[in-house]
Amino acid sequence: MLIGIKDAARLTGILIISFCAVLVCTMFLNYHMDITGIENEIVSEQAMVFYHAQVSTAKVVSAVSGGCLLITSVIMLLFYIKHYIDTHKKELGILKALGYSNRKIAKSFAVFGSSIFLGTLLGFAGAFLIMPSFYMMQNKERILPDISVHFHPMLFVSLVLLPAAIFAALSVWYAFYQLKTPVIRLLKDTLQNGSKMKRHKEEKNKPCPFLDDLKRNTLREKKVLVFFILFASFCFSSMTQMSFSMKDLASVMMGVMILLIGVVLACTTLFLAITTVVNSNTKTIAMMRVFGYSQKECCKAILGGYRKVSYLGFIIGTVYQYALLRIMVDIVFRNMEGVPVYKFDFPAMLVSLAAFLLFYELVMYAYSERIKKISVKEIMLE
C-alpha cells in the first residue's frame, strides 16, 4: 500500500465535518421518516398544520446543512490530495520512474475514504444516542401522537456506506488526474504550469512593495485556504447567532447543539487552513528573518491578508442565519399559533462578533509565536 492509514488519519478535518453533517442529517431525516408513519393517526387540524411544519423543517435543515457540509468536505478532500501530492512529488516521481503506473498509485488514495467512513459512522451512532431526547423536544407540546425511534437501513446505507464509497472513488479519480504530471517535473520539484509562470513574469515588472506583494501572492496561490478561512468565520458567525434564537424558537438543547457544532467546525477548519499556510511558507519566513524582517512583518505578510476574508465570512454568516430563520418562521411555521415573531438579534450579533474577534486574534497570536520559533538553521539544512 503506497498510501497508508497514517496518511488518511491526517484528514481529521474531513472526519469532523462528515461527523457533523451526518449527525444533523440523520436526526432530521430519521425524524422525517418516523413522523410520516403517524400521519394517519392525526385527527385535528392544528396537529396536521404542525405535522406539515415539522416535515418541512426536517427537509430544509437536512438540505441546507447537509449540502453545505458536503460541498466543504469535497473541497477539503481534493485540497488534501493535491497538498499530499505536492509535498511528496519527489517520492511519487521516483515510484513512477520505477515503473508504477498512475492508476496503481492512485488506487492507494482510496484509503482516504476510511476517514469519511469513520466520521459518518460516528455521526450516525451519535445521532441515535441523541434522538430520543430530540424526538421529545420536537413534540414537547404533545400536539402529535407519540413518535418512536426506528432504525432505517436505507438511511444507514445512504449516509454512511454510500458517502465513504463515493469519496474513496473521488480520491482515486482526483489523484489519478493530479499524477498525470511528467516524471521529470515531479523529480525537479516544479509543478507550475506555463500560464502561472508567465503571469509571475509579468507581475515582476510591476513596482510593488515586497511585503504587499508577498501578501497578495500568499492569498492568490492558496485560494482553497481562503475558502476554508471564510467558511470557518461563516460557521462561527451563523451558528453562534442562531443558537441564541433557539431558546425562543425551539429549545435550549437545540441551541447548545448548534453552538457546539458551529464552534467545532470553525476551530477545525481555521486550524487546518492556518497550519497549512504557515507550513507551506516556512522557507519564505526563514529567508525573511535572514534578511532582517521582524516577526511582526513576517506575520503581517503571511497571515495578515486573511483578516479581511474572515470578516467577510462573519458578515455572510450573519446574513445567512437571519435569512434562514426568517424563512423558517415566516414560511414554514406561518400557520402555527404561538410562534414568536423573529427579528434580528443585534445584541447576539455583538456578543458573537466580540467572541469571534477574541477567538481569531488568539489563533493569530498562537501562530505568530509558532513563526517566531521556526529555526532558520533547520530550514537551511533541508
Side-chain angles (χ1 to χ4, degrees):
M1 183 180 293
L2 303 178
I3 311 297
I5 296 296
K6 289 184 179 180
D7 297 309
R10 296 175 183 174
L11 277 74
T12 307
I14 298 179
L15 187 151
I16 293 174
I17 290 178
S18 59
F19 168 83
C20 294
V22 172
L23 178 74
V24 174
C25 290
T26 300
M27 284 195 304
F28 282 94
L29 289 178
N30 205 86
Y31 181 73
H32 174 271
M33 298 174 76
D34 286 340
I35 196 175
T36 52
I38 65 164
E39 183 177 4
N40 295 331
E41 302 177 28
I42 302 174
V43 292
S44 69
E45 183 178 349
Q46 181 186 6
M48 184 57 70
V49 172
F50 182 74
Y51 164 80
H52 286 299
Q54 293 283 30
V55 170
S56 299
T57 300
K59 291 179 180 178
V60 171
V61 173
S62 299
V64 173
S65 61
C68 180
L69 295 177
L70 173 64
I71 294 172
T72 305
S73 298
V74 170
I75 294 174
M76 189 174 288
L77 177 68
L78 300 183
F79 164 77
Y80 184 81
I81 292 173
K82 187 178 186 305
H83 180 71
Y84 181 90
I85 292 176
D86 287 348
T87 54
H88 294 81
K89 45 196 169 187
K90 290 186 178 179
E91 296 92 323
L92 295 172
I94 292 173
L95 289 175
K96 291 180 67 173
L98 292 174
Y100 284 85
S101 65
N102 290 342
R103 182 174 298 178
K104 187 172 183 179
I105 298 174
K107 284 181 179 178
S108 300
F109 283 84
V111 73
F112 287 170
S114 61
S115 295
I116 298 295
F117 175 73
L118 182 58
T120 55
L121 183 63
L122 291 175
F124 192 84
F128 271 86
L129 292 176
I130 302 172
M131 220 170 285
S133 300
F134 175 71
Y135 276 35
M136 292 178 61
M137 176 194 70
Q138 292 294 93
N139 193 28
K140 60 183 178 181
E141 302 295 335
R142 297 287 183 178
I143 298 174
L144 299 175
D146 291 335
I147 308 168
S148 302
V149 178
H150 296 90
F151 175 78
H152 301 280
M154 280 303 299
L155 205 58
F156 179 79
V157 173
S158 301
L159 295 179
V160 178
L161 301 181
L162 193 59
I166 292 175
F167 272 79
L170 181 63
S171 300
V172 173
W173 171 81
Y174 190 67
F176 180 80
Y177 174 78
Q178 290 291 326
L179 287 168
K180 288 182 178 180
T181 304
V183 176
I184 191 65
R185 291 179 65 187
L186 289 171
L187 295 176
K188 283 186 176 181
D189 197 23
T190 56
L191 287 176
Q192 285 185 313
N193 58 41
S195 62
K196 285 186 177 180
M197 294 178 69
K198 183 178 179 181
R199 186 168 65 245
H200 290 329
K201 288 180 180 179
E202 292 175 352
E203 289 175 350
K204 286 182 180 179
N205 299 324
K206 298 178 182 179
C208 182
F210 170 72
L211 293 179
D212 293 338
D213 186 50
L214 178 60
K215 184 189 297 184
R216 283 199 294 270
N217 286 337
T218 302
L219 291 174
R220 183 179 59 243
E221 293 174 4
K222 301 292 182 181
K223 294 184 178 66
V224 177
L225 297 181
V226 172
F227 168 80
F228 288 156
I229 291 177
L230 189 145
F231 178 75
S233 54
F234 167 85
C235 287
F236 190 97
S237 171
S238 60
M239 295 295 195
T240 52
Q241 294 184 63
M242 200 179 296
S243 66
F244 284 105
S245 302
M246 289 301 105
K247 182 179 178 181
D248 297 325
L249 299 178
S251 67
V252 175
M253 175 188 172
M254 181 65 74
V256 172
M257 186 176 70
I258 291 175
L259 178 63
L260 290 177
I261 290 176
V263 172
V264 169
L265 286 176
C267 292
T268 302
T269 313
L270 184 62
F271 279 113
L272 168 71
I274 301 301
T275 299
T276 306
V277 170
V278 174
N279 290 344
S280 60
N281 287 281
T282 50
K283 292 183 180 180
T284 302
I285 295 169
M287 292 303 299
M288 290 178 68
R289 292 177 61 186
V290 167
F291 284 102
Y293 286 96
S294 65
Q295 177 193 1
K296 183 178 180 180
E297 290 173 320
C298 293
C299 294
K300 183 179 179 180
I302 302 300
L303 301 176
Y306 294 100
R307 185 169 276 103
K308 292 181 180 179
V309 174
S310 67
Y311 295 159
L312 176 62
F314 187 91
I315 295 172
I316 296 174
T318 300
V319 175
Y320 165 82
Q321 66 88 27
Y322 174 72
L324 181 61
L325 290 179
R326 284 301 299 265
I327 291 172
M328 296 298 294
V329 172
D330 297 344
I331 298 178
V332 177
F333 288 96
R334 66 182 183 276
N335 295 323
M336 281 293 301
E337 297 180 359
V339 177
V341 177
Y342 175 71
K343 296 181 180 179
F344 183 75
D345 194 339
F346 192 74
M349 187 272 289
L350 292 179
V351 172
S352 177
L353 178 60
F356 171 74
L357 292 176
L358 178 62
F359 164 68
Y360 185 84
E361 295 304 328
L362 283 175
V363 171
M364 291 298 105
Y365 175 78
Y367 277 93
S368 68
E369 291 298 307
R370 181 174 176 177
I371 288 176
K372 183 179 179 181
K373 294 178 182 178
I374 292 177
S375 172
V376 177
K377 182 178 179 181
E378 290 180 4
I379 298 298
M380 294 297 104
L381 290 176
E382 289 184 358

